[in-house]
Amino acid sequence: MTDTVISTQGLTKIYPDVRAVDGLNLTVPKGAVYGFLGRNGAGKTTTIRTLLGLCHPSGGSGEVLGLDIRKHTVDILQRTGFVSETKQLFDSLTPAQLIRFNRGYFPKWSDALAERYINLFEIPMRRPFGKLSLGNRTKVCHLLALCQGADLLMLDEPTSGLDPVMTDLLLRVLIEDHVNEGRTIFISSHHLSEVERVADWIGVIEAGKLVLETRLEDIRLNFRMVTASGDAASIVTAPYLISKRRSEQFHRYLISREADDFVTRLRAQGMTILEVSPVNLGEVFLGLAGKELPCIAGNPGTTRASA
Amino acid sequence: MYRWKSWHDSRQRLALYAAACLAIGVTQGLHLWNSYSFEVAWIAASKNPRLKLWDPSLDFWYWAMNVVAEFLLPAIIWSALAFGFTSVGNEYASGAMAFVLTRPQKRWRIVWDDWLLAVAEICFVLSMLIVGIAPFLYSTSKIYVAFTGLILPGALAVAACLYGLTQFLTLLTGSSARGLSATVAVVLFYDMFPTALDEWWHIKWPLKVEALSLSIFEPRWDWLSFSLWEITILWALVALIFPFLSQWLIERREV
């Protein structure tokens, strides 16, 4: 049994007008909650769709649950619960009918779990799906994915339309009922605080490329923001330097490890260290994918450091 | 399971169309029975001994078949288009195709489940025309009633062809409305183009090609050279092309 649930090597998806996924090398360990982050159009949804056989890869290879994504789509789908970004099911069916439809595909379907989530999520069971609010649609999509006894849950924007109470409930359900059962959860989201709450692994995709893949614990323990002043900052490079941002008076460096070494190097170049601080996921994400306002006086912009 | 969903979405329409066809069949049957009763009474009252030897059963059966055939064509077209309008390609427009295609099943199965159910439903709708007229026909032409069903396979082959075309074009265009529009365009062209060629340029298709007219029961062809059964088989073969095309398409299509 492999310890990796999702792995891709140079996975590429090219549309006529864009390289949506560009040589993606992704590794999702078994039992992890993997937060897959990226800006709009970064390639998150295309990656998920390619992994599930909804799109055909233009290049590279990938495995989900040890199965080749090009050859074993049905087997992968049998063991994967998927909540799509659009949260669109059959408008004409009620949630009760959707359960009836869905359970036929999954021998491991749990009626007991379905009953529990129906009550917990307060899902109106007799109203056609097309007449439900976005929040209730999201709940139904989760209900169907969570009860099918999947080994892997792929959730694309899982909390869209949910109020804070339901968001909290869903995240707790994911942790208590599914992560504790050894399932792997792959969450694609814009909501960093939610991802930070549940994820133990983070992957950041930008313009179709994976620009960071690390443990969340690593970010807490080793990632640092170094603020310095001086003139020589632009020539500083290091393999662990993730991004550098320059304002009129200060330079801010996001580094992934070896803060002490980096500070020493800055000082050697005559710079004054003003602050070395831990960072949260939001700061890391902005450092990797953040976009500055167009260059104006006093705002020279951010540059992503190339490793 | 997708068959169950298709059934759920189409059963109301099935009941409506079947009821309409049944009502038409019964109406025609009543008319047939009235005419038959009049005919029998007229023969009985006649003093012509040669007329008394005449058995109107076969004539009435032919008449009934023509009446059924006359109503079959619109029933074929409307039911095939109406069921095809909501075939699996519609899931693209409704946004549910990602859900459909992420259920663990081979994609060809979705197309064939959809196609088989629709053909069965269309068969049921068309047979209601005959079911409606059958009791009256039984009282007029007992020994021929069993042959009335022979008209169904040909009608069903044409209907399956039209349904398959609509299903394919709906999948191709990713929309019910666009798929239906494209099908109507194809049907109009197919039905009218040969006539136009004949009218304007006096170009005639070979008889065997003309026999593939949508109204396969119209006795305007040389049936001896190309029998109804041969035409039925030909239509059935053409009908089978479309689900294979749809299968080919859905297996390659991305969401």
Side-chain angles (χ1 to χ4, degrees), chain A residues 13 15 49 53-56 74 77-78 82 88-90 92-93 97 100-102 104-106 144, chain B residues 1-2 4-5 8-9 91 94-96 98-107 251-255:
Chain A
K13 177 63 192 174
Y15 291 110
R49 285 169 181 254
L54 291 173
C55 299
H56 309 301
V74 175
L77 294 174
Q78 188 75 62
F82 171 54
Q88 186 59 53
L89 309 179
F90 303 127
S92 60
L93 302 190
Q97 290 166 330
R100 183 181 165 185
F101 171 82
N102 202 52
Y105 289 108
F106 302 100
L144 298 185
Chain B
M1 288 309 292
Y2 191 75
W4 177 80
K5 191 264 173 182
H8 175 273
D9 285 356
E91 307 295 359
S94 72
F99 178 66
V100 174
L101 297 184
T102 48
R103 300 310 91 194
Q105 64 185 330
K106 295 282 186 192
R107 290 188 181 188
E251 280 173 352
R252 278 150 191 80
R253 191 78 195 257
E254 298 189 341
V255 181

Side-chain angles (χ1 to χ4, degrees), chain B residues 49-71:
Chain B
R50 290 169 74 184
L51 204 58
K52 290 190 189 297
L53 295 174
W54 178 56
D55 176 13
S57 299
L58 184 59
D59 287 347
F60 271 88
W61 181 75
Y62 269 121
W63 185 39
M65 288 291 273
N66 280 332
V67 166
V68 171
E70 189 185 330
F71 284 96

